[in-house]
Each structure stands twice: as C-alpha cells, then as structure tokens.
Amino acid sequence: MTAGPAARRRPLRVRPRSARRVWRALCLGLALAGPSALAAEDRIVSARYSEPTTRYGHAVLGDDVEYGALVLKVENTGTGWGTAKAVYQTSEILIRLPLDHVFEDIAPRLADVDGDGNPEVLVVETDAAAGAQLAIYGARGEKLAETPHIGTSHRWLAPIGAADLDGDGYVEIAYVDRPHLAKTLRIWRFRDGALHEVASKPGLTNHRIGEDFITSGLRNCGEGPELVMVSGGWRRIMTARLRDGEITARDIGSFDPDTRLTDALACR
C-alpha cells in the first residue's frame, strides 16, 4: 500500500501588529470592566391579574370575582458597549397571594416610580380583615412598598395615577380613599424605597359602587401634571395640583355621565 499525499497544514495567519494591539486592548478592557461591561437587568413589559376567585365578597366593581394572583411578563436585557439593548430571555413571574388576600382591582398599572427608566407595577391589594392598600411590585416579583391597609374589611381605594406632581424629582401616586364613603384624595411620594403620605383632601371621588371602571386620570395641558376626578356629589369635574405639600382643587365644569372625563383629560 502506498501512502497518499500528505494533508497540507494551513499556514498560521499572523495578524498585523496594529490588529494585534487592538485585540490586546479589547481583551484588557473586558478584564478590567468585568461583568458590568455587559450589564443585565430585568424589565417588566406587561402585567395581568390571574386566578379569579370569589373568596372575598365585596363586589365593589360590579361582581364578586376578584383575583388571587398577579402575572408579570419580564424581559431580561443586557447592554453592551453601545447603547443598544439585546433581549436575552423573556419569562413570566407568578405572584400568588395568601388566601386571606385578593387583588381587588380593574387591572395592574405600569409606572416608573423609582426613576430608573423601567416600570414597576401598581396594584390594589386587599386584606379580608383590614381592607385595601396600594402596593408596588418590582421586576423580580418582590413587593417594593405599600401603603397601610384602610383598616376595616370591605373598604376600598381607587387609583388615579402616578407622576412627579410637584416637580421635586420624585414620583407621587394618587388615589381616592373610600370613594363611596370618605371620598378623600390621598397623595403618596415614593422615596428611599418607601411610600410617604404627602397630602390629602376630602370631597373628591372617582368611583360609584358597581361600576367596572374608575372615573379619573392624569393630564398635562402645558402647565404640569394635574389630577382629574369628580366632586363628591358627582356634579362637577374637578382638577387637583400638588404644590408645597398642599393640594389645590379647581372646578372646571359640569360632569356629564355620558362623556365622563373624555374632554377634560384631552384638555378640551
């Protein structure tokens, strides 16, 4: 048997000196930067309630069905050396409440309350014995902050929205405490990882028993954010601003049950 021709080895490809310098600099940069060179973060892209339940018979939103769980859809993203972000993974996080709690709400709300550019989730969470509270959940399913429960069973709160209402650089969250009874607007500020009550004002509301919607919202007609809701007697549309720790309310017209706040929220 005769041997065939020997396989030829490919010659070693030598990089030019300039290319080798670039390569060494890149490797050195990675070594010095460490894991932060490709920083990863979790970002909530959507949220929904799940596991409907009738274990809490308040029926303030028109039926006796509430929710026992919250589902977060989360993207894990990374930032390289440029500004573009790549999605590494998408997953769902299930937050299941104990049996003496429910989410007594229309829908979860996404808002960036800590100013990092990524949203958190605002919910109404109710204790069967102590009533409702407003709570904030983060992208890993952890509860970041909460208001106290109202203190009595079958007592509820109706969220309005979240924004930097007074221009101090911190986000405030507004809701109406017991919109059918106390009819009190309350504003809380998220700061240093907790919620702090800033101000309150009675005589305002945004919900009637049995309605499956909330009659309020946020607007900015060129002079900064403003809360829009209804007078306690459901006759007038009211706006409210936060300035120097105080709430100032203003009557902007009659309330029409058919159009509700459509025009007011559109600054018309």
PDB file of all heavy atoms in Angstrom, residues 125-143:
ATOM      1  N   GLU A 125     -54.303  45.840  46.616  1.00  0.00           N
ATOM      2  CA  GLU A 125     -54.240  44.542  47.294  1.00  0.00           C
ATOM      3  C   GLU A 125     -55.067  44.637  48.576  1.00  0.00           C
ATOM      4  O   GLU A 125     -54.850  45.538  49.385  1.00  0.00           O
ATOM      5  CB  GLU A 125     -52.788  44.188  47.592  1.00  0.00           C
ATOM      6  CG  GLU A 125     -52.585  42.806  48.159  1.00  0.00           C
ATOM      7  CD  GLU A 125     -51.104  42.449  48.290  1.00  0.00           C
ATOM      8  OE1 GLU A 125     -50.299  42.904  47.443  1.00  0.00           O
ATOM      9  OE2 GLU A 125     -50.766  41.729  49.235  1.00  0.00           O
ATOM     10  N   THR A 126     -55.983  43.698  48.757  1.00  0.00           N
ATOM     11  CA  THR A 126     -56.922  43.779  49.870  1.00  0.00           C
ATOM     12  C   THR A 126     -56.739  42.632  50.842  1.00  0.00           C
ATOM     13  O   THR A 126     -56.652  41.471  50.444  1.00  0.00           O
ATOM     14  CB  THR A 126     -58.367  43.782  49.341  1.00  0.00           C
ATOM     15  OG1 THR A 126     -58.571  44.972  48.548  1.00  0.00           O
ATOM     16  CG2 THR A 126     -59.377  43.769  50.467  1.00  0.00           C
ATOM     17  N   ASP A 127     -56.680  42.982  52.118  1.00  0.00           N
ATOM     18  CA  ASP A 127     -56.702  42.018  53.211  1.00  0.00           C
ATOM     19  C   ASP A 127     -58.158  41.831  53.629  1.00  0.00           C
ATOM     20  O   ASP A 127     -58.868  42.813  53.840  1.00  0.00           O
ATOM     21  CB  ASP A 127     -55.858  42.558  54.369  1.00  0.00           C
ATOM     22  CG  ASP A 127     -55.784  41.617  55.555  1.00  0.00           C
ATOM     23  OD1 ASP A 127     -56.848  41.314  56.144  1.00  0.00           O
ATOM     24  OD2 ASP A 127     -54.682  41.198  55.912  1.00  0.00           O
ATOM     25  N   ALA A 128     -58.616  40.587  53.752  1.00  0.00           N
ATOM     26  CA  ALA A 128     -60.029  40.328  54.042  1.00  0.00           C
ATOM     27  C   ALA A 128     -60.488  40.972  55.339  1.00  0.00           C
ATOM     28  O   ALA A 128     -61.660  41.331  55.478  1.00  0.00           O
ATOM     29  CB  ALA A 128     -60.277  38.818  54.090  1.00  0.00           C
ATOM     30  N   ALA A 129     -59.582  41.155  56.285  1.00  0.00           N
ATOM     31  CA  ALA A 129     -59.954  41.753  57.562  1.00  0.00           C
ATOM     32  C   ALA A 129     -59.645  43.234  57.644  1.00  0.00           C
ATOM     33  O   ALA A 129     -60.316  43.970  58.367  1.00  0.00           O
ATOM     34  CB  ALA A 129     -59.239  41.016  58.711  1.00  0.00           C
ATOM     35  N   ALA A 130     -58.638  43.703  56.894  1.00  0.00           N
ATOM     36  CA  ALA A 130     -58.155  45.078  57.058  1.00  0.00           C
ATOM     37  C   ALA A 130     -58.436  45.981  55.871  1.00  0.00           C
ATOM     38  O   ALA A 130     -58.059  47.151  55.890  1.00  0.00           O
ATOM     39  CB  ALA A 130     -56.655  45.062  57.357  1.00  0.00           C
ATOM     40  N   GLY A 131     -59.063  45.473  54.813  1.00  0.00           N
ATOM     41  CA  GLY A 131     -59.392  46.304  53.671  1.00  0.00           C
ATOM     42  C   GLY A 131     -58.233  46.501  52.711  1.00  0.00           C
ATOM     43  O   GLY A 131     -57.219  45.798  52.766  1.00  0.00           O
ATOM     44  N   ALA A 132     -58.388  47.486  51.827  1.00  0.00           N
ATOM     45  CA  ALA A 132     -57.467  47.657  50.702  1.00  0.00           C
ATOM     46  C   ALA A 132     -56.217  48.456  51.080  1.00  0.00           C
ATOM     47  O   ALA A 132     -56.209  49.223  52.045  1.00  0.00           O
ATOM     48  CB  ALA A 132     -58.185  48.341  49.542  1.00  0.00           C
ATOM     49  N   GLN A 133     -55.185  48.270  50.269  1.00  0.00           N
ATOM     50  CA  GLN A 133     -53.974  49.075  50.314  1.00  0.00           C
ATOM     51  C   GLN A 133     -53.467  49.221  48.888  1.00  0.00           C
ATOM     52  O   GLN A 133     -53.838  48.429  48.009  1.00  0.00           O
ATOM     53  CB  GLN A 133     -52.877  48.423  51.167  1.00  0.00           C
ATOM     54  CG  GLN A 133     -52.326  47.162  50.563  1.00  0.00           C
ATOM     55  CD  GLN A 133     -51.127  46.577  51.300  1.00  0.00           C
ATOM     56  OE1 GLN A 133     -50.596  45.579  50.876  1.00  0.00           O
ATOM     57  NE2 GLN A 133     -50.700  47.153  52.394  1.00  0.00           N
ATOM     58  N   LEU A 134     -52.625  50.204  48.638  1.00  0.00           N
ATOM     59  CA  LEU A 134     -51.933  50.304  47.359  1.00  0.00           C
ATOM     60  C   LEU A 134     -50.543  49.713  47.537  1.00  0.00           C
ATOM     61  O   LEU A 134     -49.844  50.030  48.510  1.00  0.00           O
ATOM     62  CB  LEU A 134     -51.839  51.748  46.895  1.00  0.00           C
ATOM     63  CG  LEU A 134     -51.269  51.910  45.477  1.00  0.00           C
ATOM     64  CD1 LEU A 134     -52.089  52.898  44.675  1.00  0.00           C
ATOM     65  CD2 LEU A 134     -49.808  52.353  45.525  1.00  0.00           C
ATOM     66  N   ALA A 135     -50.135  48.840  46.606  1.00  0.00           N
ATOM     67  CA  ALA A 135     -48.835  48.178  46.705  1.00  0.00           C
ATOM     68  C   ALA A 135     -48.081  48.307  45.385  1.00  0.00           C
ATOM     69  O   ALA A 135     -48.689  48.432  44.309  1.00  0.00           O
ATOM     70  CB  ALA A 135     -49.011  46.712  47.080  1.00  0.00           C
ATOM     71  N   ILE A 136     -46.745  48.252  45.474  1.00  0.00           N
ATOM     72  CA  ILE A 136     -45.862  48.337  44.306  1.00  0.00           C
ATOM     73  C   ILE A 136     -45.012  47.079  44.253  1.00  0.00           C
ATOM     74  O   ILE A 136     -44.377  46.705  45.250  1.00  0.00           O
ATOM     75  CB  ILE A 136     -44.945  49.569  44.388  1.00  0.00           C
ATOM     76  CG1 ILE A 136     -45.762  50.854  44.552  1.00  0.00           C
ATOM     77  CG2 ILE A 136     -44.057  49.664  43.154  1.00  0.00           C
ATOM     78  CD1 ILE A 136     -44.914  52.081  44.842  1.00  0.00           C
ATOM     79  N   TYR A 137     -45.000  46.424  43.086  1.00  0.00           N
ATOM     80  CA  TYR A 137     -44.185  45.227  42.884  1.00  0.00           C
ATOM     81  C   TYR A 137     -43.089  45.516  41.859  1.00  0.00           C
ATOM     82  O   TYR A 137     -43.294  46.273  40.905  1.00  0.00           O
ATOM     83  CB  TYR A 137     -45.042  44.063  42.406  1.00  0.00           C
ATOM     84  CG  TYR A 137     -45.839  43.406  43.510  1.00  0.00           C
ATOM     85  CD1 TYR A 137     -47.100  43.874  43.865  1.00  0.00           C
ATOM     86  CD2 TYR A 137     -45.329  42.313  44.211  1.00  0.00           C
ATOM     87  CE1 TYR A 137     -47.831  43.278  44.878  1.00  0.00           C
ATOM     88  CE2 TYR A 137     -46.054  41.705  45.219  1.00  0.00           C
ATOM     89  CZ  TYR A 137     -47.298  42.197  45.556  1.00  0.00           C
ATOM     90  OH  TYR A 137     -48.026  41.597  46.569  1.00  0.00           O
ATOM     91  N   GLY A 138     -41.925  44.861  42.063  1.00  0.00           N
ATOM     92  CA  GLY A 138     -40.802  45.023  41.162  1.00  0.00           C
ATOM     93  C   GLY A 138     -40.667  43.872  40.189  1.00  0.00           C
ATOM     94  O   GLY A 138     -41.450  42.916  40.195  1.00  0.00           O
ATOM     95  N   ALA A 139     -39.624  43.944  39.349  1.00  0.00           N
ATOM     96  CA  ALA A 139     -39.468  43.015  38.228  1.00  0.00           C
ATOM     97  C   ALA A 139     -39.095  41.607  38.646  1.00  0.00           C
ATOM     98  O   ALA A 139     -39.149  40.680  37.827  1.00  0.00           O
ATOM     99  CB  ALA A 139     -38.410  43.555  37.265  1.00  0.00           C
ATOM    100  N   ARG A 140     -38.715  41.400  39.882  1.00  0.00           N
ATOM    101  CA  ARG A 140     -38.419  40.053  40.361  1.00  0.00           C
ATOM    102  C   ARG A 140     -39.556  39.470  41.184  1.00  0.00           C
ATOM    103  O   ARG A 140     -39.395  38.440  41.844  1.00  0.00           O
ATOM    104  CB  ARG A 140     -37.123  40.059  41.165  1.00  0.00           C
ATOM    105  CG  ARG A 140     -35.911  40.471  40.331  1.00  0.00           C
ATOM    106  CD  ARG A 140     -34.635  40.455  41.113  1.00  0.00           C
ATOM    107  NE  ARG A 140     -33.510  40.860  40.288  1.00  0.00           N
ATOM    108  CZ  ARG A 140     -32.257  40.962  40.738  1.00  0.00           C
ATOM    109  NH1 ARG A 140     -31.987  40.689  41.999  1.00  0.00           N
ATOM    110  NH2 ARG A 140     -31.295  41.338  39.915  1.00  0.00           N
ATOM    111  N   GLY A 141     -40.692  40.179  41.178  1.00  0.00           N
ATOM    112  CA  GLY A 141     -41.854  39.699  41.909  1.00  0.00           C
ATOM    113  C   GLY A 141     -41.887  40.119  43.356  1.00  0.00           C
ATOM    114  O   GLY A 141     -42.762  39.678  44.112  1.00  0.00           O
ATOM    115  N   GLU A 142     -40.954  40.988  43.758  1.00  0.00           N
ATOM    116  CA  GLU A 142     -40.894  41.402  45.155  1.00  0.00           C
ATOM    117  C   GLU A 142     -41.776  42.622  45.388  1.00  0.00           C
ATOM    118  O   GLU A 142     -41.930  43.462  44.510  1.00  0.00           O
ATOM    119  CB  GLU A 142     -39.449  41.721  45.551  1.00  0.00           C
ATOM    120  CG  GLU A 142     -38.903  43.058  45.034  1.00  0.00           C
ATOM    121  CD  GLU A 142     -38.429  43.049  43.593  1.00  0.00           C
ATOM    122  OE1 GLU A 142     -38.920  42.222  42.796  1.00  0.00           O
ATOM    123  OE2 GLU A 142     -37.584  43.887  43.259  1.00  0.00           O
ATOM    124  N   LYS A 143     -42.363  42.699  46.572  1.00  0.00           N
ATOM    125  CA  LYS A 143     -43.134  43.887  46.918  1.00  0.00           C
ATOM    126  C   LYS A 143     -42.160  44.966  47.387  1.00  0.00           C
ATOM    127  O   LYS A 143     -41.438  44.796  48.358  1.00  0.00           O
ATOM    128  CB  LYS A 143     -44.156  43.588  48.014  1.00  0.00           C
ATOM    129  CG  LYS A 143     -45.073  44.770  48.326  1.00  0.00           C
ATOM    130  CD  LYS A 143     -46.053  44.478  49.441  1.00  0.00           C
ATOM    131  CE  LYS A 143     -47.166  43.568  48.988  1.00  0.00           C
ATOM    132  NZ  LYS A 143     -48.225  43.457  50.042  1.00  0.00           N
TER     133      LYS A 143
END
